[in-house]
């Protein structure tokens, strides 16, 4: 299905390249030519540069800061400390989860890498030189490096700054029905359980975070150029924190070199640069280096999970229990919707028809950086999907059942939608069996299983891993979703100019997802203006309507819907103008994809460009001139994309090394606006999923020192390691989205890690190995094989 109003184009006229067209991305023209404008390209007259002094230790009392030597460095203009900010009541700021976070430390440092002071200088080199000369005395305290340690009796209190905080517990939260779940477990014939850890990882965008703050002392105008995924929310938070009038604050984004969730929070650097610009009266630029990005901004995941699945002996799932312990770092800065302390983890029942489920979550402070961002993830859905898909694998092993069959047996059936999950989500649509069928057919599942059996008989190891995921994206309806009380919805403003060319302004923010192309395609599909004639703008709070930004795959479900609705509003007005031009009643007109014609008389036609011209030059007496409008869209429900991924691996028993042979990915994101862009999103996610499964982890030593502060230590998959991907689609439209579309931006990052890990476990499970936590490195596999007595003696001569 596409929308009933999809433009096929009028007969004899050029086809309108709306929904379903794999248009090349408009924005790539400037990216490929090196003509993008990123934060570091912003250069303002009189601009100063800021560098941040960071704590070398994870937990310490600050006893003294001496800035005098740094101030002597030629070119250094100022050194700002926490005490300086405290004088303006700016030493602390709220996080997007309603906690507090230090802007510059005053009393204590609480993680290695925390912001302690800032050096402002005429050039970046002088600022760096100044850093080394800021003398900070630390009185070290014991560091808390795990949530288990954090919640144990006698643990050092991390947030002694918070009145009434007597332990390191951040929150407790639960969902589902505990009694019903206990009853389901009481009926179970088989219970499988899994303890697993989803490691701390980093979105690691190519462009790091930063800003240029420009406060004009004469006018009071504050302009902040920023790498932000959510400029409007940041502006409102800035207004609330600083007391500056919101209409005098302008957040402007440029091109953003990837965000992936890392660029949602408000970072101390933004606030310090703005305060410095305010105090000094000149623009101040701050750009993180790579290590600062990895150590101090927006990590993701870090969830310790225990799951239990109750089944009958013949494989019917009865109930699910999950308990979570999250490592929040020293501040709760997740940017979760206020109501959901553990994000949307409670979608953990996934694609399965489970009558009962219960989730209990706790968060703990540790001496690590805050973050917990939605790294290509709808608020903890990734962790949930991983736990469930690993549990299903464990259940199949326990029951001796084929894992594909076990899934099929328990999938919610197509006719059960809309389906209410045991934890309260109303899934709008789905056809999980269809996606699984395509995946198994395309990968040649039965043949692979035969090959695996033969190889196993010879002692060779290969594995086939499946993950069937359901997501919940498009936050969200305003009743359930808000960030710091700001309700989640999104917006689109569309102006059609007299010559029929248009500008669309959207409240979401592209960071490489291709919005300039796909949102123009949405206008094309609804209003018949070709995508190249629609300029898409975003990210300047003075210019575009209010929106909550781009993360958690919400752009298409929310701002995409707003764009469709505003386009339809303009089309309704265009009908009135066309009636006037054709001298017929508007009711006698039919839309043909790019204009109106009199019903039954295709020749009597007014195209959208003529109508637009008339809107400004010859409007009907009773119609307001002009052709523009704005829509704020509050989605009635989330959208529920889904899919099945199958991964085939070959594993070397001698070394533990595993290599991905095939990845078959079947995604269903409803109606696809631009199939090529959708595929690109999936390729990126499958690559990120592989990185998480195989190599990425931000680790810490026992003192809380971050061991992943460079790309030599924090490993990302390069083109050398990245497998190739085979992508397929099924199309199950969302019944409530105006275009039938669902989000897709995060699907593969959410769904694929379990498929890779399940493949490795599938290769070694018959040797008694049931779990290896991510990242599943070859050394961990080798250790597990050795533990199972399955490592052969070295080959002769080897
Ligand atoms: O919020 P974000 O843009 O990261 O995620 P999204 O809404 O899932 O969109 C990612 C990209 O895929 C955008 O360019 C979308 O317009 C495009 N997309 C599409 O073409 N068709 C869909 N059904 C969903 C997304």
């Amino acid at each position: 299905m596409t929308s009933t109003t999809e433009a096929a184009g009028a007969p004899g006229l050029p086809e309108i390249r709306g929904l379903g067209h794999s248009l090349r991305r408009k924005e790539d023209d400037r990216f490929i030519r090196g003509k993008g404008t990123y934060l570091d390209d912003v250069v303002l007259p009189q601009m100063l540069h800021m560098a941040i002094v960071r704590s070398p230790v994870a937990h310490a009392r600050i006893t003294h800061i001496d800035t005098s030597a740094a101030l002597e460095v030629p070119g250094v203009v100022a050194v700002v400390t926490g005490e300086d900010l405290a004088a303006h009541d700016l030493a602390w700021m709220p996080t997007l989860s309603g906690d507090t976070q230090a802007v510059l430390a005053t009393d204590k440092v609480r993680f290695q890498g925390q912001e302690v002071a800032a050096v402002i200088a005429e050039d970046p080199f002088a600022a760096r030189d100044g850093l080394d000369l800021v003398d900070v005395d630390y009185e070290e305290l014991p560091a808390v490096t795990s949530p288990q340690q954090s919640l144990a009796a006698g643990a050092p209190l991390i947030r002694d700054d918070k009145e009434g905080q007597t332990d390191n517990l951040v929150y407790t939260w639960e969902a589902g029905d505990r009694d019903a779940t206990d009853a389901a477990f009481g009926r179970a014939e088989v219970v499988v359980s899994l303890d697993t850890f989803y490691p701390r990882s980093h979105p690691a965008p190519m462009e790091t975070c930063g800003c240029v703050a420009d406060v004009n002392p004469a006018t009071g105008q504050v302009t902040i150029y920023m790498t932000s995924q959510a400029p409007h929310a940041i502006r409102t938070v800035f207004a609330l924190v600083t007391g500056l009038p919101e209409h005098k604050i302008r957040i402007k984004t440029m091109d953003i070199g990837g965000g992936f969730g890392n660029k949602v929070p408000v970072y101390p650097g933004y606030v310090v640069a703005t305060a410095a610009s305010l105090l000094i009266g000149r623009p101040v630029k701050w750009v993180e280096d790579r290590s600062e990005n990895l150590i101090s901004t927006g990590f993701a995941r870090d969830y310790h999970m225990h799951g239990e699945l109750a089944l009958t002996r013949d494989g019917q799932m009865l109930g699910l229990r999950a308990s979570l312990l999250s490592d929040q770092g020293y501040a709760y800065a997740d940017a979760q919707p206020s109501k959901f302390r553990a994000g949307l983890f409670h979608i953990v029942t996934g694609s399965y028809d489970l009558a009962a489920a219960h989730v209990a979550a706790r968060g703990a402070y540790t001496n690590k950086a805050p973050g917990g961002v939605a790294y290509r993830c709808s608020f903890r859905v990734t962790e949930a999907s991983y736990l469930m898909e690993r549990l299903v694998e464990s259940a199949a092993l326990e029951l001796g059942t084929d894992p594909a069959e076990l899934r099929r047996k328990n999938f919610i059936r197509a006719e059960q939608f809309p389906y209410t999950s045991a934890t309260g989500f109303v899934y709008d649509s789905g056809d999980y069996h269809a996606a699984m069928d395509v995946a198994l057919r395309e990968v040649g599942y039965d043949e692979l299983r035969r090959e695996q059996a033969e190889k196993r008989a010879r002692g060779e190891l290969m594995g086939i891993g499946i993950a069937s995921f359901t997501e919940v994206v498009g936050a969200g309806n305003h009743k359930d979703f808000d960030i710091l009380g700001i309700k989640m919805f999104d917006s689109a403003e569309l102006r059609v100019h007299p010559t029929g060319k248009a500008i669309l302004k959207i409240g979401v923010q592209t960071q490489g997802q291709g919005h300039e192309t796909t949102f123009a395609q949405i206008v094309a599909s609804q209003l018949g203006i070709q995508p190249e004639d629609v300029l898409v703008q975003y990210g300047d709070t003075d210019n575009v309507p209010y929106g909550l930004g781009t993360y958690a795959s919400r752009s298409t479900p929310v701002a995409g819907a707003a764009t469709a609705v505003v386009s339809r509003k303009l089309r309704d007005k265009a009908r009135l103008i066309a009636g006037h031009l054709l001298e017929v009643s508007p009711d006698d007109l039919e839309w043909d994809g790019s204009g109106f014609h009199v019903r039954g008389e295709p020749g009597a036609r007014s195209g959208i460009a003529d109508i637009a011209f008339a809107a400004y030059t010859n409007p009907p007496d009773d119609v307001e001139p002009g052709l523009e409008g704005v829509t704020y869209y509050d989605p009635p429900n989330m959208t529920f994309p889904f899919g099945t991924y199958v991964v085939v691996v070959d594993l070397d028993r001698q070394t533990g090394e595993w290599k991905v042979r095939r990845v078959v990915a079947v995604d269903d994101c409803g109606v696809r606006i631009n199939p090529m862009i959708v595929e690109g999103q999936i390729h990126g996610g499958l690559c990120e999923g592989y990185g998480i499964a195989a190599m990425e982890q931000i680790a810490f030593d026992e003192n809380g020192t971050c061991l992943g502060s460079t790309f030599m230590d924090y490993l990302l998959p390069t083109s050398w390691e990245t497998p190739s991907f085979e992508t397929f689609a099924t199309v199950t439209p969302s019944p409530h989205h105006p275009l039938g579309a669902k989000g897709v931006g995060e699907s593969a990052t959410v769904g694929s890690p379990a498929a890779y890990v399940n493949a490795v476990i599938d290769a070694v499970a018959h040797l008694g190995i049931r779990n290896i936590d991510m990242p599943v490195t070859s050394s961990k596999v080798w250790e597990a094989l050795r533990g199972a007595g399955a490592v052969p003696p070295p080959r002769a001569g080897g």
Side-chain angles (χ1 to χ4, degrees):
M1 183 209 96
T2 57
S3 154
T4 49
T5 50
E6 162 67 339
L13 292 170
E15 188 182 11
I16 301 296
R17 293 181 296 282
L19 307 187
H21 287 257
S22 288
L23 287 193
R24 288 198 180 173
R25 302 191 334 164
K26 296 206 270 179
E27 44 272 71
D28 285 348
D29 273 356
R30 66 176 189 279
F31 294 154
I32 288 167
R33 290 162 209 243
K35 297 290 182 196
T37 307
Y38 296 89
L39 193 263
D40 207 27
D41 295 322
V42 176
V43 177
L44 301 180
Q46 299 277 301
M47 188 175 79
L48 296 168
H49 297 262
M50 183 175 97
I52 294 179
V53 179
R54 295 181 180 276
S55 170
V57 291
H59 200 192
R61 213 167 290 290
I62 296 176
T63 54
H64 183 65
I65 302 181
D66 183 352
T67 61
S68 54
L71 284 164
E72 294 297 312
V73 173
V76 169
V77 173
V79 179
V80 184
T81 65
E83 294 304 332
D84 297 329
L85 295 181
H88 300 271
D89 207 14
L90 283 176
W92 290 83
M93 63 179 192
T95 69
L96 294 181
S97 297
D99 198 359
T100 51
Q101 177 178 353
V103 178
L104 292 176
T106 46
D107 54 339
K108 288 203 310 190
V109 286
R110 293 176 171 84
F111 75 95
Q112 183 240 340
Q114 184 173 342
E115 301 80 358
V116 176
V119 180
I120 324 288
E122 296 289 349
D123 63 63
F125 310 104
R128 287 267 153 186
D129 289 346
L131 284 191
D132 297 336
L133 297 175
V134 176
D135 193 15
V136 187
D137 292 337
Y138 298 100
E139 186 184 291
E140 270 198 70
L141 299 165
V144 178
T145 57
S146 76
Q148 292 84 357
Q149 186 193 351
S150 166
L151 298 184
L157 184 62
I158 296 170
R159 294 303 302 268
D160 47 351
D161 58 290
K162 289 178 72 167
E163 222 177 291
Q165 182 84 35
T166 54
D167 57 22
N168 292 322
L169 185 68
V170 182
Y171 68 82
T172 56
W173 192 83
E174 62 182 310
D177 186 330
R178 189 190 288 270
D179 293 341
T181 307
D182 287 347
F185 274 79
R187 290 193 301 277
E189 291 164 339
V190 176
V191 174
V192 289
S193 67
L194 182 74
D195 285 287
T196 187
F197 172 50
Y198 205 123
R200 179 175 279 232
S201 55
H202 203 285
M206 208 188 302
E207 183 193 28
T208 58
C209 302
C211 69
V212 179
D214 181 15
V215 183
N216 184 324
T219 61
Q221 174 67 43
V222 180
T223 305
I224 311 172
Y225 302 81
M226 196 185 275
T227 53
S228 173
Q229 294 176 230
H232 289 279
I234 298 259
R235 183 186 61 174
T236 302
V237 172
F238 257 67
L240 294 172
V241 173
T242 60
L244 292 167
E246 193 166 359
H247 67 294
K248 292 265 177 120
I249 304 174
R250 179 180 194 181
I251 309 287
K252 253 182 118 187
T253 62
M254 290 69 44
D255 291 321
I256 294 187
F260 310 112
N262 182 225
K263 291 172 181 163
V264 175
V266 182
Y267 291 122
Y270 301 157
V271 181
V272 187
T274 309
S277 177
L278 186 69
L279 296 174
I280 301 168
R282 289 170 62 181
V284 174
K285 177 187 272 189
W286 166 66
V287 182
E288 278 179 333
D289 68 21
R290 177 60 60 194
S291 292
E292 290 180 293
N293 181 255
L294 288 173
I295 290 178
S296 67
T297 55
F299 76 90
R301 325 296 190 231
D302 217 340
Y303 253 37
H304 299 260
M305 305 186 279
H306 172 78
E308 293 173 21
L309 187 59
L311 304 106
T312 60
R313 170 88 16 228
D314 67 356
Q316 195 65 52
M317 293 179 192
L318 301 173
L320 176 73
R321 276 195 197 116
S323 67
L324 319 169
L325 179 55
S326 68
D327 183 336
Q328 297 294 149
Y330 96 90
Y332 182 39
D334 275 18
Q336 310 291 355
S338 313
K339 205 168 156 181
F340 306 109
R341 303 281 81 186
L344 301 180
F345 183 95
H346 52 306
I347 190 135
V348 61
T349 52
S351 311
Y352 307 100
D353 186 10
L354 271 156
H358 184 256
V359 178
R362 288 180 304 160
Y365 288 124
T366 59
N367 289 118
K368 297 180 188 168
V373 299
Y375 167 28
R376 287 192 88 170
C377 168
S378 194
F379 314 115
R380 306 292 190 181
V381 170
T382 312
E383 291 92 323
S385 174
Y386 182 76
L387 179 65
M388 188 61 187
E389 290 306 299
R390 291 286 301 112
L391 270 172
V392 175
E393 178 75 18
S394 300
L397 289 168
E398 185 65 31
L399 296 167
T401 311
D402 180 275
E405 270 321 299
L406 183 63
R407 286 181 169 86
R408 268 190 220 275
K409 186 178 177 87
N410 289 282
F411 276 158
I412 301 159
R413 295 186 311 281
E415 64 274 16
Q416 286 177 278
F417 292 94
Y419 172 87
T420 304
S421 81
T423 52
F425 290 98
V426 181
Y427 295 13
D428 63 355
S429 58
D431 190 345
Y432 304 147
H433 292 89
M436 171 72 93
D437 288 349
V438 175
L440 298 189
R441 185 186 72 223
E442 295 297 335
V443 81
Y445 187 70
D446 295 339
E447 183 50 39
L448 284 169
R449 285 284 176 213
R450 273 193 289 278
E451 180 192 340
Q452 183 185 40
E454 282 165 26
K455 287 201 160 143
R456 221 172 249 181
R458 296 200 295 270
E460 293 171 33
L461 303 178
M462 76 172 262
I464 306 157
I466 301 174
S468 291
F469 61 94
T470 289
E471 290 182 84
V472 49
V473 307
N477 72 72
H478 81 275
K479 289 200 195 73
D480 289 329
F481 293 90
D482 71 87
I483 299 279
L484 281 185
I486 309 169
K487 300 295 187 182
M488 296 185 98
F489 51 80
D490 231 286
S491 60
E493 182 188 314
L494 182 58
R495 292 184 190 167
V496 183
H497 301 299
T499 55
K501 315 288 180 191
I503 296 184
L504 173 75
K505 297 160 189 266
I506 48 178
V508 289
Q509 166 67 49
T510 188
Q511 315 118 41
Q513 296 95 325
H515 292 175
E516 289 173 39
T517 307
T518 50
F519 280 70
Q521 287 181 259
I522 295 175
V523 174
S525 73
Q526 304 302 304
L527 207 51
I529 302 174
Q530 293 288 16
E532 59 271 23
D533 292 335
V534 182
L535 179 69
V536 178
Q537 296 184 333
Y538 46 83
D540 176 349
T541 53
D542 271 11
N543 183 39
V544 302
Y546 204 97
L548 267 281
T550 292
Y551 37 88
S553 296
R554 64 185 299 278
S555 302
T556 305
V558 196
T563 301
V565 172
V566 76
S567 303
R568 289 175 187 180
K569 268 190 198 169
L570 264 55
R571 197 175 62 209
D572 288 345
K573 184 168 178 182
R575 176 187 286 275
L576 303 179
I577 300 169
H580 166 69
L581 293 177
L582 295 167
E583 297 180 349
V584 295
S585 159
D587 295 340
D588 292 335
L589 294 175
E590 260 179 19
W591 176 249
D592 61 21
S594 58
F596 285 100
H597 63 258
V598 179
R599 191 169 294 112
E601 282 181 64
R605 181 175 186 278
S606 226
I608 190 70
D610 298 335
I611 297 169
F613 198 67
Y616 295 88
T617 58
N618 176 23
D621 290 341
D622 53 351
V623 174
E624 200 179 297
L627 195 55
E628 64 181 63
V630 61
T631 287
Y632 280 76
Y633 183 80
D634 185 15
N637 191 4
M638 305 287 276
T639 64
F640 294 81
F642 60 93
T644 291
Y645 297 156
V646 185
V647 170
V648 184
V649 301
D650 296 300
L651 198 150
D652 184 339
R653 192 190 267 264
Q654 199 94 40
T655 62
E657 192 184 1
W658 53 281
K659 287 211 167 108
V660 177
R661 193 201 306 176
R662 306 262 314 269
V663 178
V664 167
V666 181
D667 274 274
D668 192 319
C669 60
V671 172
R672 295 181 300 167
I673 296 155
N674 183 321
M676 183 188 68
I677 287 182
V678 166
E679 266 185 50
Q681 294 287 316
I682 292 163
H683 275 236
L686 292 171
C687 176
E688 287 174 313
Y690 174 69
I692 301 282
M695 60 188 78
E696 293 182 37
Q697 175 169 21
I698 304 183
F700 295 82
D701 72 10
E702 66 283 4
N703 301 315
T705 302
C706 179
L707 303 176
S709 60
T710 72
F711 282 156
M712 293 299 284
D713 310 300
Y714 187 72
L715 303 179
L716 298 177
T718 66
S719 56
W720 179 255
E721 295 92 4
T722 302
S724 44
F725 307 120
E726 301 162 57
T727 52
F728 302 89
T730 58
V731 177
T732 311
S734 166
H736 61 80
H737 188 280
L739 305 172
K742 307 175 182 182
V744 76
E746 68 189 43
S747 296
T749 316
V750 170
S752 67
Y756 294 107
V757 177
N758 282 346
V760 175
I761 298 301
D762 186 61
V764 296
H766 63 291
L767 302 170
I769 301 166
R770 292 292 163 95
N771 188 39
I772 300 173
D773 275 341
M774 295 189 292
V776 182
T777 57
S778 46
S779 53
K780 278 193 202 167
V781 176
W782 188 83
E783 284 295 345
L785 287 168
R786 195 176 62 147
V791 177
R795 291 183 197 110

